[in-house]
Amino acid sequence: MDEVLLGLSHGFSVAFMPMNLLLVLLGCFAGTLIGALPGIGPINGVAILLPIAYSFGLPPESALILLAGIYYGAEYGGRISSILLNVPGDAGAVMSTLDGNPMAKKGEAGRALSLSAIASFVGGTLAVVLLAMFGPMLAKFAVKFNPSDYVALMVFAFASLSSLVGKNAIKSLFAALIGLTLASIGIDANTGVPRFTFDIPDILAGIDFLVVVIGLFGMAELFHLVEQQIRGNLTLLPIGKSFVSIKDLMFVKWTILRSSLIGFFVGVLPGTGASVASAITYGTEKKLAADKGDFGNGDPRGLAAPEAANNASAGGAMVPMLTLGIPGSGTTAILLGALLLFNVQPGPLMFEQRPEIAWGLIASMFIGNFALLIINLPLVGMFAKLLTIPQQYLTPMIAVLAFIGVYSVVGNPFDLYMIIGLGLLGWILRKLEFSLAPVILGFVLGHLFEDNLRRALSISAGDWSILYDSTNAVVLYIMTLFMIFVPILVKLYRKKVNKSN
């Protein structure tokens, strides 16, 4: 503990240097704006600004502080378009649409934005505390997580899908299968055989996640607004109160704490990230809700859980990157590249050999979380006023953001047609009362599931027993069974009690 406090004191002396303090604030503000743009997200924001940070000739610690500020600022910013427009800024923000956007449509946009900002602040701050105290120890645990353990983790995440949203578990399962099908499109990495490409060269490399999320959410929302405009049903959405109340915070306090812890530990595992963390926490909170709540229709817990998990997982992903040199997510892979660009080798010795970088970054994350809260809360009212824009003007704005977001990142005109096609699919699914979140999560988890399943079977030469050979996997399978059967047993028990009364 003394070493941690000594390291943090040195880190804060680095982070509070005028230039570094300015870079923290600049990174947080720029990250918030980047995250709010549909499709850009933290990974693209950091990738775009990395050459700029390098060309300015900044010291390694200053460059990393700026890029990290953009990283968790973008995690904050992703909630804005998710809540207001039902268009997730990135994969981790998908779950925030489920209850955030219904809150906005009920005239609680300001309340939703404030709640998400506070949940993100708590999640991010708790993650930094855990990173400082237990980072090296957790990294050693994470590196022991083998492919079969990841398969078990994906099974657990899929089990969460069964009750994520909606009243019909069959529809949620079918939506997840659509996502898994989309994930399988492209050339098989092992055999080189094209799968479901229909001789179209543009999808040989698969469908980019950005195309799927913008198509299914952004364009589907666009078609929905056009339909409402044709029917003459467009109305201005009320803003309502702009700030969350103490009562709201007391209602979600345990949700935020649980989700922050789960999000951090999921983030520590390389390759998982905010999308897996937010899915697991949302499903967990829905299962734990004694009153069954109003999940999917504007329940504050359904917004607080993924928001806390998103930012906590961002802090968790820093653990293997800093202590082992293993990126925990796509964005930390770019941050790792930035360190190598400055001839800095991450690893266990970095805390001793380059403490100004390791501890300076951790200290800057403390400052950045407070800065994001201070920056974002006063702007809640301004963001909420976006809903006062007449929806006939909001429609082309969503279209412009969607097309620019996809083309600026992917750069392939074919993908613009893809988002239109996926938008029509999303619109039809919405008309049939399917939730789109399981589609996205099936797409994200499908890649992780297939990659790790193949690695595990390659290691065992095709012996399937490897999938339940480790303690970690067995524990996750037991948790999966609890996730599926405990709510059913509780429901039957309550029915029995009600009958006896």
Side-chain angles (χ1 to χ4, degrees):
M1 183 58 72
D2 290 339
E3 289 180 11
V4 171
L5 294 175
L6 189 64
L8 280 175
S9 65
H10 179 58
F12 277 110
S13 69
V14 173
F16 276 120
M17 291 172 62
M19 182 177 70
N20 290 340
L21 194 58
L22 177 64
L23 290 173
V24 169
L25 298 174
L26 180 64
C28 290
F29 183 72
T32 301
L33 296 180
I34 288 168
L37 295 173
I40 302 299
I43 184 168
N44 295 307
V46 174
I48 291 166
L49 293 174
L50 173 58
I52 298 173
Y54 184 72
S55 64
F56 281 165
L58 296 172
E61 63 273 16
S62 299
L64 195 65
I65 283 171
L66 172 64
L67 295 173
I70 293 166
Y71 177 21
Y72 45 84
E75 294 287 355
Y76 254 70
R79 77 191 197 283
I80 298 170
S81 56
S82 300
I83 292 170
L84 298 181
L85 304 177
N86 198 33
V87 183
D90 66 303
V94 168
M95 303 307 299
S96 299
T97 63
L98 299 182
D99 286 280
N101 188 249
M103 287 178 74
K105 289 180 176 177
K106 290 193 292 188
E108 299 176 351
R111 179 186 175 213
L113 288 167
S114 298
L115 178 61
S116 68
I118 293 170
S120 297
F121 167 74
V122 175
T125 304
L126 184 60
V128 180
V129 172
L130 293 172
L131 167 61
M133 294 178 65
F134 306 112
M137 182 182 71
L138 288 169
K140 290 177 183 176
F141 166 74
V143 81
K144 291 179 181 177
F145 230 68
N146 58 46
S148 61
D149 296 335
Y150 279 106
V151 171
L153 180 63
M154 294 305 109
V155 171
F156 176 69
F158 279 122
S160 302
L161 286 175
S162 64
S163 63
L164 268 180
V165 284
K167 297 177 181 178
N168 193 325
I170 301 298
K171 285 186 175 181
S172 293
L173 181 61
F174 185 74
L177 288 174
I178 293 174
L180 286 169
T181 304
L182 292 173
S184 67
I185 293 173
I187 292 179
D188 187 306
N190 282 14
T191 63
V193 175
R195 302 184 299 189
F196 308 115
T197 58
F198 304 102
D199 295 324
I200 301 173
D202 293 279
I203 57 174
L204 286 173
I207 303 176
D208 194 276
F209 169 78
L210 176 60
V211 173
V212 175
V213 74
I214 292 295
L216 286 175
F217 278 88
M219 297 306 292
E221 183 70 16
L222 176 69
F223 291 135
H224 174 72
L225 289 174
V226 169
E227 179 192 12
Q228 297 301 309
Q229 188 172 350
I230 292 171
R231 292 185 174 186
N233 294 335
L234 287 182
T235 56
L236 282 178
L237 294 174
I239 295 180
K241 61 180 182 178
S242 292
F243 289 99
V244 68
S245 65
I246 297 296
K247 183 181 177 182
D248 288 329
L249 295 179
M250 290 298 101
F251 181 60
V252 299
K253 61 182 179 182
W254 297 117
T255 293
I256 292 175
L257 181 61
R258 276 191 299 266
S259 301
S260 299
L261 291 171
I262 293 171
F264 176 76
F265 288 112
V266 170
V268 167
L269 302 174
T272 49
S275 54
V276 178
S278 59
I280 290 174
T281 52
Y282 187 95
T284 301
E285 288 308 311
K286 189 172 181 181
K287 292 282 188 183
L288 291 176
D291 56 357
K292 294 305 171 190
D294 197 22
F295 286 83
N297 295 307
D299 193 301
R301 291 167 295 187
L303 176 61
E307 285 301 309
N310 283 352
N311 281 66
S313 70
M318 291 285 189
V319 172
M321 193 271 282
L322 289 175
T323 58
L324 296 173
I326 299 171
S329 65
T331 313
T332 52
I334 297 173
L335 293 176
L336 175 63
L339 284 173
L340 297 175
L341 194 64
F342 285 99
N343 295 316
V344 177
Q345 180 61 54
L349 297 178
M350 191 172 78
F351 283 80
E352 296 175 11
Q353 296 175 350
R354 301 300 298 268
E356 75 280 5
I357 295 177
W359 289 110
L361 174 63
I362 291 171
S364 77
M365 292 172 71
F366 274 110
I367 298 168
N369 275 297
F370 280 98
L372 282 166
L373 193 65
I374 294 167
I375 290 169
N376 279 266
L377 281 182
L379 297 178
V380 161
M382 186 186 77
F383 289 140
K385 284 183 180 177
L386 284 173
L387 296 179
T388 63
I389 299 173
Q391 291 186 343
Q392 59 264 38
Y393 302 123
L394 197 61
T395 305
M397 187 173 82
I398 294 174
V400 169
L401 286 173
F403 282 110
I404 290 177
V406 169
Y407 193 74
S408 63
V409 176
V410 182
N412 185 355
F414 177 82
D415 289 319
L416 300 182
Y417 296 107
M418 281 290 297
I419 64 171
I420 294 172
L422 288 168
L424 286 170
L425 173 63
W427 176 67
I428 292 169
L429 289 174
R430 281 181 63 168
K431 298 287 285 182
L432 296 173
E433 297 184 350
F434 279 81
S435 173
L436 299 179
V439 181
I440 300 295
L441 293 169
F443 182 80
V444 173
L445 300 179
H447 287 295
L448 293 169
F449 181 78
E450 181 182 10
D451 291 345
N452 285 290
L453 179 62
R454 289 193 161 193
R455 286 194 196 107
L457 293 177
S458 296
I459 292 168
S460 67
D463 184 358
W464 288 81
S465 66
I466 192 175
L467 298 180
Y468 48 85
D469 237 3
S470 74
T471 304
N472 292 332
V474 171
V475 169
L476 285 165
Y477 288 132
I478 291 171
M479 290 170 63
T480 301
L481 293 174
F482 269 93
M483 177 72 76
I484 295 171
F485 291 110
V486 167
I488 297 172
L489 294 175
V490 169
K491 190 176 180 181
L492 292 173
Y493 175 75
R494 284 177 180 167
K495 280 185 178 179
K496 185 178 179 181
V497 169
N498 290 336
K499 282 183 180 179
S500 61
N501 291 337

Coordinates of all heavy atoms in Angstrom, one line a residue, residues 229-303:
Q229 N -43.2 10.6 -40.2 CA -43.4 11.9 -40.9 C -44.5 11.7 -42.0 O -45.4 12.5 -42.1 CB -42.1 12.4 -41.5 CG -42.2 13.8 -42.1 CD -40.8 14.3 -42.6 OE1 -39.8 13.7 -42.3 NE2 -40.8 15.4 -43.3
I230 N -44.4 10.6 -42.7 CA -45.4 10.3 -43.7 C -46.8 10.1 -43.1 O -47.8 10.6 -43.6 CB -45.0 9.0 -44.5 CG1 -43.8 9.3 -45.3 CG2 -46.2 8.5 -45.4 CD1 -43.2 8.0 -45.9
R231 N -46.9 9.5 -41.9 CA -48.2 9.3 -41.2 C -48.7 10.6 -40.5 O -49.8 10.6 -40.0 CB -48.1 8.2 -40.2 CG -47.9 6.8 -40.9 CD -47.9 5.7 -39.8 NE -47.8 4.4 -40.5 CZ -47.9 3.3 -39.8 NH1 -48.1 3.3 -38.5 NH2 -47.9 2.1 -40.4
G232 N -47.8 11.6 -40.4 CA -48.1 12.8 -39.7 C -48.1 12.7 -38.2 O -48.9 13.4 -37.5
N233 N -47.3 11.8 -37.7 CA -47.3 11.5 -36.3 C -46.1 12.2 -35.6 O -45.8 11.9 -34.4 CB -47.2 10.0 -36.0 CG -48.5 9.3 -36.4 OD1 -49.6 9.9 -36.5 ND2 -48.4 8.1 -36.7
L234 N -45.3 13.1 -36.3 CA -44.2 13.7 -35.7 C -44.6 14.7 -34.6 O -45.4 15.6 -34.9 CB -43.3 14.3 -36.7 CG -42.5 13.3 -37.6 CD1 -41.6 14.1 -38.6 CD2 -41.6 12.4 -36.8
T235 N -44.0 14.6 -33.5 CA -44.2 15.6 -32.4 C -42.9 16.0 -31.8 O -41.9 15.2 -31.8 CB -45.1 15.1 -31.3 OG1 -44.6 13.9 -30.8 CG2 -46.5 14.8 -31.9
L236 N -42.8 17.2 -31.2 CA -41.6 17.6 -30.4 C -41.6 16.8 -29.1 O -42.6 16.7 -28.4 CB -41.7 19.1 -30.1 CG -41.3 20.0 -31.3 CD1 -41.4 21.5 -30.8 CD2 -39.9 19.8 -31.7
L237 N -40.4 16.3 -28.8 CA -40.2 15.5 -27.6 C -40.0 16.5 -26.4 O -39.2 17.4 -26.6 CB -39.1 14.5 -27.7 CG -39.2 13.4 -28.7 CD1 -37.9 12.6 -28.8 CD2 -40.4 12.5 -28.3
P238 N -40.7 16.3 -25.3 CA -40.4 17.2 -24.2 C -39.1 17.0 -23.6 O -38.5 15.9 -23.6 CB -41.5 16.8 -23.2 CG -41.8 15.3 -23.5 CD -41.6 15.2 -25.0
I239 N -38.5 18.0 -23.0 CA -37.2 17.9 -22.3 C -37.3 17.4 -20.9 O -36.6 16.5 -20.5 CB -36.4 19.3 -22.4 CG1 -36.2 19.6 -23.8 CG2 -35.1 19.2 -21.6 CD1 -35.5 21.0 -24.0
G240 N -38.2 18.0 -20.2 CA -38.4 17.6 -18.8 C -37.2 18.1 -17.9 O -36.5 19.0 -18.3
K241 N -37.1 17.6 -16.7 CA -36.1 18.1 -15.8 C -34.7 17.7 -16.3 O -34.5 16.6 -16.9 CB -36.3 17.6 -14.4 CG -36.3 16.1 -14.2 CD -36.5 15.7 -12.8 CE -36.4 14.2 -12.6 NZ -36.6 13.8 -11.2
S242 N -33.7 18.6 -16.0 CA -32.4 18.4 -16.5 C -31.4 17.6 -15.6 O -30.4 17.2 -16.1 CB -31.7 19.7 -16.9 OG -32.4 20.3 -17.9
F243 N -31.8 17.4 -14.3 CA -30.8 16.8 -13.5 C -31.4 15.6 -12.7 O -32.6 15.6 -12.4 CB -30.2 17.8 -12.5 CG -29.3 18.8 -13.1 CD1 -29.7 20.0 -13.5 CD2 -28.0 18.4 -13.4 CE1 -28.8 20.9 -14.1 CE2 -27.1 19.3 -14.1 CZ -27.5 20.5 -14.4
V244 N -30.6 14.7 -12.4 CA -31.0 13.5 -11.7 C -31.2 13.9 -10.2 O -30.5 14.8 -9.7 CB -30.0 12.4 -11.8 CG1 -28.6 12.7 -11.2 CG2 -30.5 11.0 -11.4
S245 N -32.1 13.2 -9.5 CA -32.3 13.6 -8.1 C -31.6 12.6 -7.2 O -31.1 11.6 -7.6 CB -33.8 13.5 -7.8 OG -34.3 12.1 -7.9
I246 N -31.4 13.0 -5.9 CA -30.8 12.2 -4.9 C -31.5 10.9 -4.8 O -31.0 9.8 -4.6 CB -30.8 12.9 -3.5 CG1 -29.9 14.2 -3.6 CG2 -30.2 12.0 -2.4 CD1 -28.5 14.0 -3.9
K247 N -32.9 10.9 -4.9 CA -33.7 9.7 -4.8 C -33.3 8.7 -5.9 O -33.2 7.5 -5.7 CB -35.2 10.1 -4.9 CG -36.1 8.9 -4.8 CD -37.6 9.3 -4.9 CE -38.5 8.1 -4.9 NZ -39.9 8.5 -5.1
D248 N -33.1 9.3 -7.1 CA -32.7 8.4 -8.2 C -31.3 7.7 -7.9 O -31.1 6.6 -8.2 CB -32.5 9.2 -9.5 CG -33.9 9.7 -10.1 OD1 -34.8 8.9 -9.9 OD2 -34.0 10.7 -10.7
L249 N -30.4 8.5 -7.4 CA -29.0 8.0 -7.1 C -29.1 6.9 -6.0 O -28.4 5.9 -6.1 CB -28.1 9.1 -6.7 CG -27.8 10.2 -7.8 CD1 -26.9 11.3 -7.2 CD2 -27.2 9.5 -9.0
M250 N -29.9 7.1 -5.0 CA -30.1 6.1 -4.0 C -30.7 4.8 -4.6 O -30.4 3.7 -4.1 CB -31.0 6.6 -2.9 CG -30.3 7.7 -2.0 SD -28.8 7.2 -1.1 CE -27.5 7.9 -2.2
F251 N -31.6 5.0 -5.5 CA -32.3 3.9 -6.2 C -31.3 3.0 -7.0 O -31.4 1.8 -7.0 CB -33.4 4.4 -7.1 CG -34.2 3.3 -7.8 CD1 -34.9 2.3 -7.0 CD2 -34.2 3.2 -9.1 CE1 -35.6 1.3 -7.7 CE2 -34.9 2.2 -9.8 CZ -35.6 1.3 -9.0
V252 N -30.3 3.6 -7.6 CA -29.3 2.9 -8.4 C -27.9 2.7 -7.8 O -27.0 2.2 -8.5 CB -29.2 3.6 -9.8 CG1 -30.5 3.6 -10.5 CG2 -28.6 5.0 -9.7
K253 N -27.8 3.0 -6.6 CA -26.4 3.0 -6.0 C -25.8 1.6 -6.0 O -24.6 1.5 -6.4 CB -26.4 3.6 -4.5 CG -27.3 2.8 -3.6 CD -27.3 3.4 -2.2 CE -28.2 2.5 -1.3 NZ -28.3 3.1 0.1
W254 N -26.5 0.6 -5.7 CA -26.0 -0.8 -5.7 C -25.8 -1.3 -7.1 O -24.9 -2.0 -7.4 CB -26.8 -1.7 -4.9 CG -26.9 -1.4 -3.4 CD1 -28.0 -1.0 -2.7 CD2 -25.8 -1.3 -2.5 NE1 -27.7 -0.7 -1.4 CE2 -26.3 -0.9 -1.3 CE3 -24.4 -1.5 -2.6 CZ2 -25.5 -0.7 -0.1 CZ3 -23.6 -1.3 -1.5 CH2 -24.2 -0.9 -0.3
T255 N -26.7 -0.8 -8.0 CA -26.5 -1.2 -9.4 C -25.2 -0.6 -10.0 O -24.5 -1.3 -10.7 CB -27.7 -0.6 -10.2 OG1 -28.9 -1.2 -9.9 CG2 -27.5 -0.8 -11.7
I256 N -24.9 0.6 -9.7 CA -23.7 1.3 -10.1 C -22.5 0.6 -9.6 O -21.5 0.3 -10.3 CB -23.7 2.8 -9.8 CG1 -24.7 3.5 -10.6 CG2 -22.3 3.4 -10.1 CD1 -24.9 5.0 -10.2
L257 N -22.5 0.2 -8.3 CA -21.4 -0.4 -7.6 C -21.1 -1.8 -8.2 O -20.0 -2.1 -8.6 CB -21.6 -0.5 -6.1 CG -20.5 -1.1 -5.3 CD1 -19.2 -0.3 -5.4 CD2 -20.9 -1.3 -3.8
R258 N -22.2 -2.6 -8.3 CA -22.0 -3.9 -8.9 C -21.5 -3.9 -10.3 O -20.6 -4.6 -10.7 CB -23.4 -4.7 -8.9 CG -23.7 -5.3 -7.6 CD -24.9 -6.3 -7.7 NE -26.1 -5.5 -8.2 CZ -27.1 -5.1 -7.3 NH1 -26.9 -5.2 -6.0 NH2 -28.1 -4.4 -7.8
S259 N -22.1 -3.0 -11.1 CA -21.8 -2.9 -12.5 C -20.3 -2.4 -12.7 O -19.6 -2.9 -13.6 CB -22.7 -2.0 -13.3 OG -24.1 -2.5 -13.1
S260 N -19.9 -1.5 -11.8 CA -18.5 -1.0 -11.9 C -17.5 -2.1 -11.7 O -16.5 -2.3 -12.4 CB -18.3 0.1 -10.9 OG -19.2 1.2 -11.2
L261 N -17.8 -2.9 -10.6 CA -16.9 -4.0 -10.3 C -16.9 -5.1 -11.4 O -15.8 -5.5 -11.8 CB -17.3 -4.7 -9.0 CG -17.1 -3.8 -7.7 CD1 -17.8 -4.5 -6.5 CD2 -15.6 -3.6 -7.5
I262 N -18.1 -5.5 -11.9 CA -18.1 -6.5 -13.0 C -17.4 -5.9 -14.2 O -16.7 -6.6 -14.9 CB -19.6 -6.8 -13.3 CG1 -20.2 -7.6 -12.1 CG2 -19.7 -7.7 -14.6 CD1 -21.7 -7.8 -12.3
G263 N -17.7 -4.6 -14.6 CA -17.2 -4.0 -15.8 C -15.6 -4.0 -15.7 O -14.9 -4.3 -16.7
F264 N -15.1 -3.7 -14.5 CA -13.6 -3.6 -14.4 C -13.0 -5.0 -14.6 O -12.0 -5.1 -15.4 CB -13.3 -3.1 -13.0 CG -11.8 -3.1 -12.7 CD1 -11.0 -2.1 -13.3 CD2 -11.2 -4.1 -11.9 CE1 -9.6 -2.1 -13.0 CE2 -9.9 -4.1 -11.7 CZ -9.0 -3.1 -12.2
F265 N -13.6 -6.0 -13.9 CA -13.0 -7.3 -14.0 C -13.1 -7.9 -15.4 O -12.2 -8.7 -15.9 CB -13.5 -8.3 -13.0 CG -13.1 -8.0 -11.6 CD1 -13.9 -7.5 -10.6 CD2 -11.8 -8.1 -11.2 CE1 -13.5 -7.1 -9.4 CE2 -11.3 -7.8 -10.0 CZ -12.2 -7.3 -9.0
V266 N -14.2 -7.6 -16.1 CA -14.4 -8.1 -17.5 C -13.4 -7.3 -18.4 O -12.8 -7.9 -19.3 CB -15.8 -7.9 -18.0 CG1 -15.9 -8.1 -19.5 CG2 -16.8 -8.8 -17.3
G267 N -13.2 -6.0 -18.1 CA -12.2 -5.2 -18.9 C -10.8 -5.7 -18.8 O -10.0 -5.6 -19.7
V268 N -10.5 -6.3 -17.6 CA -9.1 -6.8 -17.4 C -8.8 -8.0 -18.3 O -7.6 -8.1 -18.8 CB -8.9 -7.3 -15.9 CG1 -7.7 -8.1 -15.7 CG2 -8.9 -6.1 -15.0
L269 N -9.8 -8.7 -18.7 CA -9.6 -9.9 -19.6 C -9.3 -9.4 -21.0 O -10.2 -8.7 -21.6 CB -10.8 -10.8 -19.6 CG -11.2 -11.4 -18.2 CD1 -12.5 -12.1 -18.3 CD2 -10.1 -12.2 -17.7
P270 N -8.2 -9.7 -21.6 CA -7.8 -9.2 -22.9 C -8.9 -9.6 -24.0 O -9.3 -10.8 -24.0 CB -6.5 -9.8 -23.2 CG -5.9 -10.0 -21.9 CD -7.0 -10.4 -21.0
G271 N -9.3 -8.7 -24.8 CA -10.2 -9.0 -25.9 C -11.7 -8.9 -25.7 O -12.5 -9.2 -26.6
T272 N -12.1 -8.6 -24.4 CA -13.5 -8.6 -24.1 C -14.0 -7.2 -24.4 O -14.7 -6.9 -25.4 CB -13.8 -9.0 -22.7 OG1 -12.9 -8.3 -21.8 CG2 -13.5 -10.5 -22.5
G273 N -13.8 -6.3 -23.5 CA -14.2 -4.9 -23.7 C -15.5 -4.5 -23.2 O -16.3 -5.3 -22.6
A274 N -15.9 -3.2 -23.5 CA -17.1 -2.6 -23.0 C -18.4 -3.3 -23.4 O -19.4 -3.3 -22.7 CB -17.1 -1.1 -23.4
S275 N -18.4 -3.8 -24.7 CA -19.6 -4.4 -25.2 C -20.0 -5.7 -24.4 O -21.2 -5.9 -24.0 CB -19.5 -4.8 -26.7 OG -18.3 -5.6 -26.9
V276 N -19.0 -6.5 -24.0 CA -19.3 -7.7 -23.2 C -19.7 -7.3 -21.8 O -20.6 -7.8 -21.2 CB -18.1 -8.6 -23.2 CG1 -18.3 -9.8 -22.3 CG2 -17.7 -9.1 -24.6
A277 N -18.9 -6.3 -21.2 CA -19.2 -5.9 -19.9 C -20.6 -5.3 -19.7 O -21.3 -5.6 -18.8 CB -18.1 -4.8 -19.5
S278 N -21.0 -4.5 -20.7 CA -22.3 -3.8 -20.6 C -23.4 -4.8 -20.7 O -24.5 -4.8 -20.1 CB -22.4 -2.7 -21.6 OG -22.3 -3.2 -22.9
A279 N -23.2 -5.8 -21.6 CA -24.2 -6.9 -21.8 C -24.4 -7.7 -20.5 O -25.5 -8.0 -20.1 CB -23.8 -7.8 -23.0
I280 N -23.3 -8.1 -19.9 CA -23.4 -8.9 -18.7 C -24.0 -8.2 -17.6 O -24.9 -8.7 -16.9 CB -22.0 -9.4 -18.3 CG1 -21.5 -10.5 -19.4 CG2 -22.0 -10.0 -16.9 CD1 -20.1 -10.9 -19.1
T281 N -23.6 -6.9 -17.4 CA -24.2 -6.1 -16.3 C -25.7 -5.8 -16.5 O -26.4 -5.9 -15.5 CB -23.4 -4.8 -16.1 OG1 -23.4 -4.1 -17.3 CG2 -22.0 -5.0 -15.6
Y282 N -26.1 -5.5 -17.7 CA -27.5 -5.3 -17.9 C -28.3 -6.5 -17.6 O -29.3 -6.5 -16.9 CB -27.7 -4.9 -19.4 CG -29.1 -4.4 -19.7 CD1 -29.5 -3.1 -19.6 CD2 -30.1 -5.3 -20.0 CE1 -30.8 -2.6 -19.9 CE2 -31.4 -4.9 -20.3 CZ -31.7 -3.6 -20.2 OH -33.0 -3.1 -20.4
G283 N -27.9 -7.7 -18.1 CA -28.6 -8.9 -17.9 C -28.6 -9.3 -16.4 O -29.6 -9.7 -15.9
T284 N -27.5 -9.0 -15.7 CA -27.4 -9.3 -14.3 C -28.4 -8.4 -13.5 O -29.1 -8.9 -12.6 CB -26.0 -9.0 -13.8 OG1 -25.0 -9.9 -14.5 CG2 -25.9 -9.3 -12.3
E285 N -28.4 -7.1 -13.8 CA -29.3 -6.2 -13.1 C -30.8 -6.6 -13.3 O -31.6 -6.5 -12.4 CB -29.1 -4.8 -13.5 CG -27.8 -4.2 -12.9 CD -27.6 -4.4 -11.4 OE1 -28.6 -4.1 -10.7 OE2 -26.6 -4.9 -11.0
K286 N -31.1 -7.0 -14.5 CA -32.5 -7.4 -14.8 C -32.9 -8.6 -14.1 O -34.0 -8.7 -13.6 CB -32.6 -7.6 -16.3 CG -34.1 -7.8 -16.8 CD -34.3 -7.8 -18.2 CE -35.7 -7.9 -18.6 NZ -36.0 -8.0 -20.0
K287 N -31.9 -9.6 -13.9 CA -32.2 -10.8 -13.2 C -32.4 -10.5 -11.7 O -33.2 -11.1 -11.0 CB -31.1 -11.8 -13.4 CG -30.9 -12.3 -14.8 CD -32.0 -13.4 -15.0 CE -31.7 -14.1 -16.4 NZ -32.7 -15.1 -16.7
L288 N -31.5 -9.5 -11.2 CA -31.5 -9.3 -9.7 C -32.7 -8.4 -9.3 O -33.0 -8.3 -8.1 CB -30.2 -8.6 -9.3 CG -29.0 -9.5 -9.4 CD1 -27.7 -8.6 -9.1 CD2 -29.1 -10.6 -8.4
A289 N -33.3 -7.7 -10.2 CA -34.4 -6.8 -9.9 C -35.6 -7.5 -9.2 O -36.3 -8.3 -9.9 CB -34.9 -6.0 -11.1
A290 N -35.8 -7.3 -7.9 CA -36.8 -8.0 -7.2 C -38.2 -7.5 -7.7 O -39.2 -8.3 -7.7 CB -36.7 -7.7 -5.7
D291 N -38.3 -6.3 -8.1 CA -39.6 -5.8 -8.6 C -39.8 -5.9 -10.1 O -40.8 -5.5 -10.7 CB -39.8 -4.3 -8.2 CG -38.6 -3.4 -8.8 OD1 -37.7 -4.0 -9.5 OD2 -38.6 -2.2 -8.7
K292 N -38.9 -6.6 -10.8 CA -38.9 -6.8 -12.2 C -38.7 -5.5 -13.0 O -38.4 -5.5 -14.2 CB -40.2 -7.6 -12.7 CG -40.2 -9.0 -12.1 CD -39.0 -9.8 -12.5 CE -38.9 -11.1 -11.8 NZ -37.6 -11.8 -12.0
G293 N -39.0 -4.4 -12.4 CA -38.7 -3.1 -12.9 C -39.4 -2.8 -14.3 O -40.4 -3.5 -14.6
D294 N -38.9 -1.9 -15.0 CA -39.5 -1.5 -16.3 C -38.4 -1.5 -17.3 O -38.2 -0.6 -18.1 CB -40.1 -0.1 -16.1 CG -41.1 0.2 -17.3 OD1 -41.6 -0.8 -17.9 OD2 -41.3 1.4 -17.6
F295 N -37.5 -2.5 -17.3 CA -36.4 -2.6 -18.2 C -36.8 -2.6 -19.6 O -37.8 -3.3 -20.0 CB -35.5 -3.9 -17.9 CG -34.7 -3.8 -16.6 CD1 -35.3 -4.0 -15.4 CD2 -33.4 -3.4 -16.7 CE1 -34.5 -4.0 -14.2 CE2 -32.6 -3.3 -15.5 CZ -33.2 -3.6 -14.3
G296 N -36.1 -1.8 -20.4 CA -36.5 -1.7 -21.8 C -37.5 -0.6 -22.1 O -37.7 -0.2 -23.3
N297 N -38.0 0.0 -21.1 CA -39.0 1.1 -21.2 C -38.6 2.4 -20.4 O -39.4 3.2 -20.2 CB -40.4 0.6 -20.8 CG -41.0 -0.5 -21.6 OD1 -41.0 -0.3 -22.9 ND2 -41.3 -1.6 -21.0
G298 N -37.3 2.4 -20.0 CA -36.9 3.6 -19.3 C -36.6 3.4 -17.8 O -36.8 4.3 -17.0
D299 N -36.1 2.2 -17.5 CA -35.7 1.9 -16.1 C -34.4 2.5 -15.8 O -33.4 2.2 -16.5 CB -35.7 0.4 -15.8 CG -35.7 0.1 -14.3 OD1 -34.7 0.5 -13.6 OD2 -36.6 -0.6 -13.8
P300 N -34.2 3.4 -14.8 CA -32.9 4.0 -14.5 C -31.8 3.0 -14.3 O -30.6 3.2 -14.7 CB -33.1 4.8 -13.2 CG -34.6 5.1 -13.2 CD -35.2 3.9 -13.8
R301 N -32.1 1.8 -13.7 CA -31.1 0.8 -13.5 C -30.6 0.2 -14.8 O -29.4 -0.2 -15.0 CB -31.7 -0.4 -12.7 CG -31.9 0.0 -11.2 CD -32.8 -1.0 -10.5 NE -34.1 -1.1 -11.1 CZ -35.1 -1.8 -10.6 NH1 -34.9 -2.5 -9.5 NH2 -36.3 -1.9 -11.1
G302 N -31.5 0.2 -15.8 CA -31.1 -0.3 -17.2 C -30.1 0.6 -17.9 O -29.5 0.2 -18.8
L303 N -30.1 1.9 -17.5 CA -29.1 2.9 -18.0 C -27.9 2.9 -17.2 O -26.8 3.0 -17.7 CB -29.8 4.2 -18.1 CG -28.9 5.4 -18.6 CD1 -28.4 5.1 -20.0 CD2 -29.6 6.7 -18.5

